[in-house]
Amino acid sequence: FFFFLPFQIKCIFSFLFQNLATSSQVQKQAYLNDSAILSVATLARKAQVDSDNSHNQYPVHTFGHLASKDCKDVTEKYTPYLANKLKEATRNQDSLKAQVYIRALGNLGHPVILSVFKPYLEGKAPATNYQRLAMVAAMDHLARLSPKSAQSSLFNIYQNTGESHELRCAAVFQLMKTNPSAQMLQRMAAFTEQDMSKQVNSAVKSAIESAAELKEPKLQELAENANAAKKMLSPKTYGLQYSKNYLSSYAMKEENLGYIKDIKTIGSEDSILPKGIQYSLRSVLGGLEMEKDRFRAMTASVSDLLGLLENQFSTEESRRQEKNAKQSSNNNDSHSTKMIAQMFNIQREQAEQVEAQIFATIFGGNRLFAFDNHTVENIPRSEYLYYV
């Protein structure tokens, strides 16, 4: 029995993928299907991509590795399936599905996902700016497992001043996970003197300054590199309304235990509230790093989301009063925006779809809550909670 154990466990992945994640019966059940896809992708990363995790959680010295070096399930089976599903979701403008498949690809943590995200990030394939932001945010596992593969793409996004500040800030956050060299951090620090984006400059400055203060032995190389770049940062100060990345660590040498805390925010253009926030806490015990808690929330627009929520939860009477007040104001004001638009035959731009997600560690498990306009409108009747 024990002789065949590795083979049996390896077969589980194919079984889960074929009979759970891609099963026609499971696909008919929206929440179960999404949870299955996210879970299988996470399991594939832990067993077949993350060799350290596989080594620490599976008796590889007794039964061998869960995946051989020539195993191509992730690159030839899982990734193509998820890539096709993502393409289908974006083509159908299905934001919920697109967010799930983006996160599933991110859960794989394999360098091959870069080739899937590249057309969307370069604007060659249709995707909303929020979905592109979600793709950069989904590179978290890739940045940790294959830093050299991720660095080039992330640095290019950061350097592209024509890109939105959300994507550039997210790229900065992921770059800090790749243990960037002193030279790269110095280039980023020096660029804060030229970059016109206060949001990006604030993200870079806070990331480098906080990284320079890290005490965890495992992060000393990053701390030294950040110290080498710290003096090249712009002297300008940025308030809390701008994007931030705060890194901190605590080390207890006597117990060979340490903690790494990471807080990130992406500033908004339409609100004082951030449009993205993330918190993570990891423990380091004897060199073994484990994630304890994680929380992330992102939205395409804080103002639009708050407006949608206010409209959804306001009473019928309050909505009627607000509508009457607006009509009365427009009728009495010949210079209202509506009247001016009619005079000059100005066509209003179509409002962007509200897209958002919440990712959190709850009771030891990861949960993804993705929603859009329709989800918010159906809040009293349903909940979109996916298990990762």
Side-chain angles (χ1 to χ4, degrees), residues 264-292:
K264 309 180 183 74
T265 62
I266 297 179
S268 303
E269 294 178 341
D270 57 4
S271 173
I272 194 172
L273 298 174
K275 65 166 41 181
I277 183 170
Q278 179 173 332
Y279 165 83
S280 69
L281 178 66
R282 291 169 290 163
S283 65
V284 182
L285 179 59
L288 177 61
E289 187 174 322
M290 297 183 65
E291 188 171 68
K292 304 290 288 183

Side-chain angles (χ1 to χ4, degrees), residues 31-74:
Y31 312 144
L32 175 60
N33 179 47
D34 296 327
S35 298
I37 289 172
L38 293 167
S39 299
V40 171
T42 299
L43 184 60
R45 182 191 77 249
K46 291 184 175 182
Q48 300 182 355
V49 180
D50 189 347
S51 57
D52 289 340
N53 182 86
S54 177
H55 181 275
N56 293 327
Q57 298 191 16
Y58 180 77
V60 294
H61 297 294
T62 303
F63 301 113
H65 292 277
L66 284 172
S68 60
K69 293 183 179 180
D70 59 349
C71 179
K72 299 180 180 179
D73 284 350
V74 172

Side-chain angles (χ1 to χ4, degrees), residues 141-338:
H141 294 301
L142 174 65
R144 178 176 58 86
L145 297 175
S146 303
K148 292 183 179 179
S149 300
Q151 263 188 6
S152 177
S153 297
L154 292 170
F155 193 74
N156 287 338
I157 295 173
Y158 157 69
Q159 277 196 317
N160 183 5
T161 56
E163 186 59 88
S164 66
H165 80 268
E166 296 94 338
L167 265 74
R168 296 182 65 204
C169 289
V172 171
F173 300 157
Q174 303 293 27
L175 273 171
M176 297 305 293
K177 297 178 181 178
T178 65
N179 193 26
S181 64
Q183 182 183 12
M184 178 175 287
L185 291 178
Q186 286 172 344
R187 289 179 63 184
M188 294 170 66
F191 195 55
T192 58
E193 295 279 11
Q194 307 170 28
D195 201 335
M196 300 301 292
S197 174
K198 293 181 179 180
Q199 294 283 0
V200 178
N201 287 340
S202 177
V204 172
K205 186 172 183 178
S206 58
I208 292 178
E209 287 181 339
S210 60
E213 303 298 325
L214 292 171
K215 304 300 181 184
E216 167 60 38
K218 191 174 182 179
L219 300 175
Q220 281 312 291
E221 183 179 356
L222 174 61
E224 292 173 3
N225 293 342
N227 264 308
K230 190 175 178 180
K231 295 180 181 179
M232 303 178 70
L233 288 166
S234 168
K236 295 180 181 178
T237 57
Y238 301 95
L240 294 176
Q241 71 271 31
Y242 295 106
S243 305
K244 302 290 183 184
N245 185 188
Y246 295 113
L247 297 163
S248 60
S249 64
Y250 311 91
M252 292 174 278
K253 296 182 180 180
E254 298 80 6
E255 301 178 16
N256 199 17
L257 176 65
Y259 290 95
I260 303 171
K261 185 168 64 175
D262 190 357
I263 301 175
K264 309 180 183 74
T265 62
I266 297 179
S268 303
E269 294 178 341
D270 57 4
S271 173
I272 194 172
L273 298 174
K275 65 166 41 181
I277 183 170
Q278 179 173 332
Y279 165 83
S280 69
L281 178 66
R282 291 169 290 163
S283 65
V284 182
L285 179 59
L288 177 61
E289 187 174 322
M290 297 183 65
E291 188 171 68
K292 304 290 288 183
D293 296 294
R294 183 156 59 134
F295 173 84
R296 180 178 67 245
M298 298 190 307
T299 181
S301 169
V302 175
S303 178
D304 290 347
L305 177 60
L306 293 178
L308 184 62
L309 290 172
E310 181 182 7
N311 182 67
Q312 176 68 15
F313 293 107
S314 61
T315 63
E316 189 69 31
E317 180 63 24
S318 63
R319 285 198 294 268
R320 189 183 301 110
Q321 291 178 355
E322 183 179 356
K323 182 178 180 180
N324 292 336
K326 286 184 178 180
Q327 289 179 345
S328 176
S329 175
N330 290 335
N331 292 335
N332 296 332
D333 186 2
S334 60
H335 299 291
S336 66
T337 55
K338 184 177 180 180

